[in-house]
Structure formats: C-alpha cells, structure tokens
Amino acid sequence: MSFFGLDCARKKEIELERKLRANDREYNLSFKYATNAIKTSKYNLFTFLPLNLFEQFQRIANAYFLFLLVLQVIPQISSLSWFTTVVPLVLVLTVTAAKDATDDINRHRSDNQVNNRKVQVLIDGKLRSERWMDVQVGDIIKLENNQFVTADLLLLSSSEPLNLIYIETAELDGETNLKVRQALTVTGDLGDNIESLAAFNGEVRCEPPNNRLDRFTGTLTYAGQKYSLDNEKILLRGCTLRNTEWCFGLVLFGGPETKLMQNCGKTTFKRTSIDRLMNVLVLCIFGFLAFMCTILAIGNGIWELKDGSKFTVYLPRQEGTDAAFSAFLTFWSYVIILNTVVPISLYVSVEIIRLGNSFYIDWDRKMYHARSDTPAEARTTTLNEELGQIRYIFSDKTGTLTQNIMTFNKCSINGKSYGDVYDYTGQRLEITERTDTVDFSFNPLADSRFAFHDHALVEAVKLENPEVHAFFRLLALCHTVMPEEKQEGELFYQAQSPDEGALVTAARNFGFVFRSRTPDSVSIVEMGQQRSYELLAILDFNNVRKRMSVIVRSPEGKLSLYCKGADTIVYERLHQSCSKLMDVTTEHLNEFAGEGLRTLALAYKDLDEEYFSQWKQRHHEASTALDERESKLDQLYEEIEKDLLLLGATAIEDKLQDGVPHTIEQLSKADIKIWVLTGDKQETAENIGYSCNMLREEMNDVFVVSGNTPDDVRQELRNARATMKPETADDAVVLGKGVKVMADEVVNGEYGLVINGHSLAYALERSMELDFLRTACMCKAVICCRVTPLQKAQVVELVKKYKRAVTLAIGDGANDVSMIKAAHIGVGISGQEGMQAVLSSDYSFSQFRFLERLLLVHGRWSYLRMCKFLRYFFYKNFTFTFVHFWYAFFCGFSAQTVYDEWFITLYNLVYTALPVLGMSLFDQDVNDVWSFQHPQLYVPGQLNLYFSKTAFFKCALHSGYSSLVLFFIPYAAMYDTVRDDGKDISDYQSFALLTQTCLLITVCIQLGLEMSYWTAVNTFFVLGSLAMYFAVTFTMYSNGMFLLLPSSFPFIGTARNSLNQPNVWLTILLTSILCVLPVITWRFLLIQLWPTINDKVMFKVRQAKAAPPPPTRRARIRRTSSRRSGYAFSHAQGYGDLVTSGRFLRRPAVPRSSGFAHTGRTTTGFSPMGRSAGYSPTGRPQNIKAQNVEVTSLQMYRTVQNPPL
C-alpha cells in the first residue's frame, strides 16, 4: 500500500547489517526489506482532504475565520449573515487545495512512470519482464545497453571481456564522463548462462542502507569461499549502462533504501518569511481585537448598570438578561463587527497578487531561451516575494554554471600562440558565433562539431611543420581514451574526463586521428596514413604526479616518451636548452590562465634502446614488489621523466554558460553570497570559480580546507578565521542560551573558502558545524567540492538553521534535488542532465544568467508590491475598524455599526479591492534597466525593511490617527448643524454617509501616495472605484430600492439630502487633508534628511527624465593571473593499469581503411560524442559547421615516415 501513500509506519529495528541470498525470495522476505517501489507524492485519495486541510489551517487566519463562522451561526451574537464568511473561506480553501492536488498528481504520474518501467528478472529459471516496483532484494536482473540501473546491484557478469562495464553517473554526482565497474571473476564466469545464474545461491552480507555514494563494504560467500566487495563492484540506481551489451546484477537495496533515494530530501511545505511574519502579526491582531472587545464589553456592562434602565421602554430586555450577560454577548458581537482587522479578502488578494506575479515570470520574453525553446516557468505561485529577499545562493557547477562542454580553445606550439583571430590591422578580434571557423574538409575523419577559428594552425599542419605534427601526435598517443567504431568512420571516444576527450578530438580534427588500441599498441591515422605505435609503458596520472606519460615505439623503431601535465610539474623536468622557449610559453600560459582556461604543458624526449631495456626490467621488478611498490615506481617515473623537450601548451575552456560572470558580479553587488556545491574535483571547481569571477586574484586569500581528520579540519578552519579576524581565532563558537541565530561578522578584505567532500563531512558534524559556518560566512565566496547530494542539502539546512536568511538552491541534475528541496527557493535548470531538478523545483529556466532577472527584477518587484499591499491593506482596514471602536462610546456600546451595512459588505469587495490590486500588480519603483544598474536596490528586501513588525506597528499608529480624524471631524461638523433650509442634518444616517465617504476618499488618496508607477489601469481602478461608490450609494439610497425591500435599504434619500450641502463637502475636504498632511510632511522630511537607496535612485531617474540609462556593455572579463588553471590537476586517477592489462578489450571492431582522402569530403560522416570541442557525453550538436566554406588547399600532402621531432 505504500505506493498509494499509505505507509504503514511499523516500528522497525535499526538495521545493522544486510543479509540476503540470491534467488531465494522466501528467505529475503523474512527480513521485510523495502520493495523497489518509490513514492515522492504527499497525498492519496484517502489522505488528501484531511492532510491538505491540516496544512491550510496551519495558517492561523484560516482557523480564525472558521471560528468566526461558528460565531455567526449564533443569532444572539451575530449581526451579519453566516454566508459572508463561509463563501470566501471555502473559495480560498478550494483554490489552494486544487493547486496542491495538481502538484501532487504530477508527482504521482512521475512515480508511476518510474515504478512501471520494465526490466528482465530471473524468476524460476526464466527471464521475465517485470515492473520495477515488483523487483525485490535478492533478485537477479538483466540490464542492456543504455538502460537505467533498476536498483542498487552487485555486478555479477557482463558481455565485455573480464566482466567490465561502463556506466554514466550524471544523475548521482553530475559527472558525465564514464566510469568502469568490474565483477568478481567467480561470478563473471556465470556469463549469460541462465541455468548457471538461476543456480547461483551466493549469500551477501553488507552495510545497511546509507547515503554514502563513494564507498561500499560487504562480502559474498559462494561455494564455500568468501570474497570481498567494494564500490567498484556495485551499480547504483540512477546510473545508466553505456557501451555494454548486457550485464547481470544481484539486487542489494531497493526503492527508498537505494543510495539515490537516501540522498533525496523530503518534500516539505514551503512558506515565505512574510507568511511566517503574518502568522505572528495575526496572533498579535487577535490579541488586540480581544483587548478592544473586552474594553467595549466592560463599557457595555457599566452603561447597562448606569443608563440601560432608562432605555428599557424603547429596548425591552429579554428574560434573564442582566448587565453581565449583556456585556458577555456584546464581547462576541464586537468580535464579529471588528473582524475586518483581518478580513478574509486579505488572503484572497494575496493569492491573486502571487498568481499575477507568477504569470509575469512565465511571460517574460527576456527569460526565454530560443535555442532550446525553453521559457521560464514559475512552478509555484506562493513564493514570489521570497525571491526579493535572497541572501544565500547555493549553486551546482556542472551544467548550471558551465555548459558541461570542453572546448579546445587555444594552444602554444614552439613559442607561437594559436587560437586568437586578428583583423587586417593586427587588432585582436573577439570570437563570436559569427566568426569564421576553420575548414576541416581535407580530413574526412574530422568531427563535424569541432570548431576552431585560427586558420594559421591548420595551415601549419598542412605545411608539415614538424613541431606542430609532434604536438598533435602527442595528443593522439598520450591518453587513456577508449575508442568505439561500430560502423566504418563513426568514431566514439569514451574518456575518463571531458578534457581528455576534447584534446584527442582536437588532434583528430587536425589530422592525427586516434583510431584503436590494444594492450600493447595504439593505432592512429596521421595525415591520411594508418600508423601503429607499440605501447611499451603508461606512466599514469595521480594527484601527486599531476602528469601522465606514455612510452611508445614508432613503426620505424624510434623510442619516444610523451608527457603531458601541469606546467609547474613539467617545467621542473625540462632540459636546460628549453629555457627561452619556457619563457615564451609561460607568457602564453599566463594569458590562457588569465582567461580562465584550463592549461596543460606538453613535452617529449627520445629514449635510448639500451637504457630503456634496463629501465623496463627495473620497472617490472618494482611493479611486482610486495613492499613500498608505489614509492619504487614513483622513483623510476621520476628518473625517466627528466631532460624533457618542451613542445608547447594547450588551453581548454570548460565552457561557462553565457553571462555567468556578469550575473555573479551583479548578484554580489546585491549583497548575495554565492556558494558552489559540486560533486566535481577540487581543482576543476577552483578553475570555474576563477573563470566566473567568484574567486578573484584581488582577494586577500583563498583558504583550502582538506584535512583528513576532525582535528585537522577544525584547525584549518580556525587558521582561516585567524587570518580574517585575528581576535576571533581561538574563540569557541557558542550561541547564547535561547539564541539560535549566528550574527554576521565584518572582516577587512575579501576571502574565499574551498573545502572538499571528506573534510566537509567532518565540518558538518554537530561539534564542528558552527566553526565551519562562522568561517564560511566570513568569506565572500565558498566552494564545496566532491560533495554528495545529501551533503548539499545539509549545507543548505545549516545556513537555514543558524542564519536568519532566505536561501536559494539552483541545479540541473538529480544530484541537486535534495538541495533544491531543502532551500527556501529551489530553481531547476532544464539542461543536459534530465528534468529531475526541474520537476522538484519552484522555478525553472534554461540558463543561469536568467537568475539575475528573476531576483533583481521579478523578485524585488514582487517583494516591494507585496509589502506595499500589506501596509496599505492593514492601514485601510484598521482605519475602517477603529472608527467602530470610537463610535461605540457614543452608541451605548450596543454593537451598532457606524456605517451602512451595504458599505460594510462592499468596502473590501468592491470599493477598495481593484485599486490595491492594481498597485500590487503594476507598481514598480524603477524599471528593470535601472534595477540592473543599481543592484543595491535589492538589499532592503534582505533586511526586511519594507514590511516588518516595526512597519506594521507604524501602520497601526497611522490608522489610529486617521480613524480619530475620520470619526471626530465629521462628528463635530454634524453636531447641532442645520441644512441650508434650516432643517436638522445631524441624524445617524447622514453621519454614517459622511463618515464612510470621508473614509473612502482618504484611503484612495493614501493609495495614490503609495503608488510609484501610475498606469492607465491603475488610474482607471482608482477613479472607477470612487465613481462606483457614488453610483452604488445613490442607487442603494433611492426610493425605488426602499420600496422593493424596505428592511434591506433603510437609508432612503440620505445621499441626495446630504451630498447637496456645501458644509458636507467642506467636511470631506478638511478630513482628507488632515489625514494626509502628516504623511506628506513625514515623507518629505525622510527623503530630505535620511534618503534610502530607493529615494536616491528614483531621484536620479527623475533627473534623467525617466529615460533609461544606456545598458552596461558587458566587457569580456580578462584577468591577469599567475595561477595555473590546470587540466592536469582536475584529472582523476587514470586508467593506465586497465589499458595495459588488456582487461578493457572489446570485441574486434569492424574492418576499416584509413579513410583519408586528399581532396574533398567523403560522405562517411561521423556521429562522434564530441560537441564543439570534440567531446560531450550526450553527443548533442552545439556548433554546426558553416556551410559552403571554400576548401583551403595550399599543397597536396605526403606522409612523412619519420618526421624529425
């Protein structure tokens, strides 16, 4: 029943160890493990109504209106009909419930779609197609290429040699490069033999369900032997099988117990800070209402004792009614009469305003992405004003800040830089989409999606420049990329990192095509000729070496070592003869790094045959040593990787999305702190931090926290704090008793903080979380690397818990879902990694740059409009209600209303509804261009300056003053007054008409003072409401209406008799002036003496005669940097051992020719995995090759058998 939301919450012991047996459902069912069904929905048919109503009545006002409804049913108390409350209450509840139901139906559909996917399960010795939700722990299932992994599995066997498989883990960690998993030999021997698999009865003991994606511990017991299990043998739900025909796996964890679901946060009911403030204010209002009603009830009791007996002739009392009981009834009568302090129309109006501002986001063409045909979407209508109060943004990196596209942008070869484009005067041109691209039609094996703009490099290749050839030969040989060619000419590269794919694809386009490999050879096509190099050794990459080398023998028998790595590392190993070339290349590297590109140095050396034979022997001995194997190998690598000759350097761009640096700069000016939480490697994240202007060279320091123990992490955090604010270095971070908010601390200078995943795990422990938060909040930018999805959510929760700040999380993948759910506002980017983030988000669009407009324009306007609405709404309703309070002292506390009943009914519904809605939907202090020009306009929203308890209190005082004027000025003006013809004018009905007319005109003038942006619609609403009032008043008070229903329209003739008197209009004028004059005076003094940022900018706008300023030209951000933005640093532990072991080998590829034509372009087009720079895991075309480009042909090519290096 859990699928339908009826989770029977049985008390279950904490699982300490998981035990299961393959192909034995009866045994496994005894442990009551979770099935593979998932549930992300909140309701079902049975629970929707009670749960939804429970959520809605958490809003105190809704509960209050329900209580009021009960009171209105009692005839002794109520002077108003019950349906005046029940209709709007039911309307509000129904609209909200319908919206919640729609959201939950979408979640049900998503759940059903996933749960009903089909997979082949081995049952009773046969493969059967079963739904995902029916898969159970202990089942053996078969997966095929490109299928999603159904549950957390132990890999048993695969179609690939030595039981390897390739998986993509984008939904888990955001990384799109492929990863390798390998089954145990003992299970791999089962192959795809169904009988053997059905007879498999291995028992697994492993860790209980948890959220750690990076580790797994367990054992398999089979045929009397025990085998160790680790993460390399586990397939996690959410992964996708790639380049593997089939594999079999044993289900270890299902559904909610899988690591993916353990990392998914819970769907929470999100409410804005204004909603929460409103709850507090409504409680205060109720208290004040009770206080007023108590005073009036006491007044009624005193009046009944003193003067009530005189009126019993006119108002006979009911049996058993004394002064005390009369006071009791009066209390409840005034509760009903004075309930307009919190009218239900307030909540109806709030929902309408939020809906309208949501439509503005949906309709905004400036947030529409034409290339992907994706508009912005407000997926919720209840959080708009919260967008104007964001103080912390938590962003994913891959696919959110970046496009997840690696482009080979520039290179330096033998002291010459390639990649820039110059005009005929020698001026460097900015490269845009319109810039001409190099024509690679001479190379039929080129990747059509690769784009390069500097024609000089392809000309150098065609002119057979030996250094250029050696440069690309190195790129084609020195890597661990695995090629796949299912059909002639259709090359697919599977690289362990996108950088490697981009470099190999660049070499491929410039005529050095990596075609295939075996454990001891690499085959490439060099300028049209097939050549096979003997692969003698791979000196693999690791985090200490920061470089990789290969030793190859050319077809001519020449021994060479090719090395690529971080330039600082490679430079230490260069021959002295390279010093001049090093200086020039360093200048180029600085220039590349200044543009945020990921740089890499390339070098080579020729080896002596005799020396290499000796070295290889020693290498074999070291690699088989039992003690200190790693250090011995490192010494050998150091020995051979010296006296290298520098070839040049490459520069790869991890392509940022358009406008990311500008957006981050604008948001920083708006005092919004941005934290990047990424599953990517530390160096990669740092590079992006510099590229997108989060980290800057001008910063005083960038702290890196990478401790491996809690003590190390705590010390590193304290050292960082000591640098920023020495006096706080040794302070223990302890919040005061009852204090749950950590105050902001001001530091001198700007700092950045980078912390990796295992250090963050310690930092988030209860004993250290305040240390971490305090240090991080002192920094301008924070980057957390190698974090799990759950850690992302924990960081967000930490900031929410101890900082009184509104948070926003933005991401594009399934690994960002928990973070998006945890933040106050969740934004999904519809990008490369599916729609999971979008489905869980509150707002979605396709580009990070649209976040600037969402916050600085839509968010700020929504917050400003909502605050103005609330201030004005409380003012007009308090003023309306307080007049009743003053009148009570003149009517014997009899609960008589001061206004006509029809005016009370229509005041909020007709007379004042549209003008305030017009202001709340169309008002803006300055337009969007000025908002971008002055991001500081956003700061008041973060500080709650527009609406707070203080603002509410001022509003109440203002209303109290206005109500005194509105009651006593008309009262004094009408007292003992006669008409022009000498008749008496001071009757109750005339006084009621005068008071309500003064009230309506005053609140309309006050609205005009609040409004900053007048439109035709606003003007029509204000004037139309006044016209409507007079039209309705004259109609209601006419003879005809009285004759139709005398009891309902008792004010016959009052309007025409009162409103034709000059003293009535003079009273209206005097009252309006007295109400508005103090407001105008106070605002004038404020603007002159203490102007806000809004006042200053609005003054500038008026000075510019409301003409928008010229838009700021987005200068291309170029930073001079001595820091290396190193590709080699971002590389993971390599595949070198795997490559040379032969374990990766695939079935033989199809026979092929070199496929290289000298002229023209053949039709054997590739469908490679590359994007614009030649590598992308999804293979989507990004840059289409320019059509009809004339072929450049300087000369015909010949293959140089042994080009000099």
Side-chain angles (χ1 to χ4, degrees), residues 297 378 536 695 750 932 974 978 1031 1066 1162:
L536 300 171
L695 302 177
E750 289 189 354
F932 290 141
M974 297 287 285
V978 293
L1066 282 171
T1162 67

mmCIF file of all heavy atoms in Angstrom, residues 297 378 536 695 750 932 974 978 1031 1066 1162:
data_model
loop_
_atom_site.group_PDB
_atom_site.id
_atom_site.type_symbol
_atom_site.label_atom_id
_atom_site.label_comp_id
_atom_site.label_asym_id
_atom_site.label_seq_id
_atom_site.Cartn_x
_atom_site.Cartn_y
_atom_site.Cartn_z
ATOM 1 N N ALA A 297 -16.874 45.539 25.939
ATOM 2 C CA ALA A 297 -17.799 44.727 26.743
ATOM 3 C C ALA A 297 -17.910 45.287 28.158
ATOM 4 O O ALA A 297 -19.020 45.369 28.728
ATOM 5 C CB ALA A 297 -17.322 43.283 26.774
ATOM 6 N N ALA A 378 7.244 29.616 -13.542
ATOM 7 C CA ALA A 378 7.013 29.655 -12.102
ATOM 8 C C ALA A 378 6.166 28.438 -11.763
ATOM 9 O O ALA A 378 4.973 28.402 -12.029
ATOM 10 C CB ALA A 378 6.297 30.944 -11.718
ATOM 11 N N LEU A 536 54.658 0.721 -24.949
ATOM 12 C CA LEU A 536 55.581 -0.001 -24.072
ATOM 13 C C LEU A 536 55.290 0.240 -22.587
ATOM 14 O O LEU A 536 55.551 -0.633 -21.764
ATOM 15 C CB LEU A 536 57.017 0.412 -24.391
ATOM 16 C CG LEU A 536 57.448 0.124 -25.837
ATOM 17 C CD1 LEU A 536 58.789 0.764 -26.131
ATOM 18 C CD2 LEU A 536 57.502 -1.374 -26.083
ATOM 19 N N LEU A 695 35.923 33.593 -7.405
ATOM 20 C CA LEU A 695 37.253 33.755 -6.825
ATOM 21 C C LEU A 695 38.025 34.719 -7.715
ATOM 22 O O LEU A 695 37.950 34.626 -8.943
ATOM 23 C CB LEU A 695 37.978 32.407 -6.745
ATOM 24 C CG LEU A 695 37.293 31.300 -5.938
ATOM 25 C CD1 LEU A 695 38.096 30.014 -6.032
ATOM 26 C CD2 LEU A 695 37.119 31.706 -4.485
ATOM 27 N N GLU A 750 38.639 40.718 1.306
ATOM 28 C CA GLU A 750 37.785 39.694 0.715
ATOM 29 C C GLU A 750 38.527 38.358 0.725
ATOM 30 O O GLU A 750 39.711 38.291 0.390
ATOM 31 C CB GLU A 750 37.410 40.071 -0.730
ATOM 32 C CG GLU A 750 36.446 41.227 -0.816
ATOM 33 C CD GLU A 750 35.938 41.440 -2.230
ATOM 34 O OE1 GLU A 750 36.427 40.758 -3.154
ATOM 35 O OE2 GLU A 750 35.049 42.287 -2.429
ATOM 36 N N PHE A 932 18.967 46.823 -12.843
ATOM 37 C CA PHE A 932 20.258 46.210 -13.152
ATOM 38 C C PHE A 932 21.404 47.188 -12.907
ATOM 39 O O PHE A 932 22.501 46.798 -12.502
ATOM 40 C CB PHE A 932 20.300 45.722 -14.599
ATOM 41 C CG PHE A 932 19.417 44.536 -14.869
ATOM 42 C CD1 PHE A 932 18.696 44.442 -16.049
ATOM 43 C CD2 PHE A 932 19.293 43.511 -13.946
ATOM 44 C CE1 PHE A 932 17.874 43.351 -16.309
ATOM 45 C CE2 PHE A 932 18.475 42.417 -14.184
ATOM 46 C CZ PHE A 932 17.768 42.341 -15.363
ATOM 47 N N MET A 974 -21.068 67.676 12.185
ATOM 48 C CA MET A 974 -22.505 67.372 12.089
ATOM 49 C C MET A 974 -23.272 67.779 13.359
ATOM 50 O O MET A 974 -24.491 67.901 13.338
ATOM 51 C CB MET A 974 -22.705 65.866 11.863
ATOM 52 C CG MET A 974 -22.125 65.336 10.578
ATOM 53 S SD MET A 974 -23.059 65.835 9.141
ATOM 54 C CE MET A 974 -24.492 64.764 9.270
ATOM 55 N N VAL A 978 -27.402 72.530 10.936
ATOM 56 C CA VAL A 978 -28.648 72.514 10.157
ATOM 57 C C VAL A 978 -28.316 72.660 8.683
ATOM 58 O O VAL A 978 -27.242 73.111 8.309
ATOM 59 C CB VAL A 978 -29.605 73.646 10.600
ATOM 60 C CG1 VAL A 978 -30.107 73.417 12.011
ATOM 61 C CG2 VAL A 978 -28.922 75.016 10.485
ATOM 62 N N ALA A 1031 -22.129 55.883 -7.439
ATOM 63 C CA ALA A 1031 -23.231 55.294 -8.219
ATOM 64 C C ALA A 1031 -24.027 54.305 -7.366
ATOM 65 O O ALA A 1031 -25.269 54.332 -7.333
ATOM 66 C CB ALA A 1031 -22.675 54.599 -9.453
ATOM 67 N N LEU A 1066 -17.176 70.419 2.405
ATOM 68 C CA LEU A 1066 -16.065 71.063 3.112
ATOM 69 C C LEU A 1066 -15.520 70.150 4.213
ATOM 70 O O LEU A 1066 -14.303 70.081 4.453
ATOM 71 C CB LEU A 1066 -16.534 72.397 3.712
ATOM 72 C CG LEU A 1066 -16.646 73.565 2.732
ATOM 73 C CD1 LEU A 1066 -17.325 74.757 3.392
ATOM 74 C CD2 LEU A 1066 -15.279 73.975 2.196
ATOM 75 N N THR A 1162 34.374 13.137 -47.947
ATOM 76 C CA THR A 1162 33.582 11.948 -48.226
ATOM 77 C C THR A 1162 32.284 11.990 -47.456
ATOM 78 O O THR A 1162 32.085 12.827 -46.594
ATOM 79 C CB THR A 1162 34.354 10.686 -47.810
ATOM 80 O OG1 THR A 1162 34.479 10.705 -46.391
ATOM 81 C CG2 THR A 1162 35.698 10.610 -48.456
#
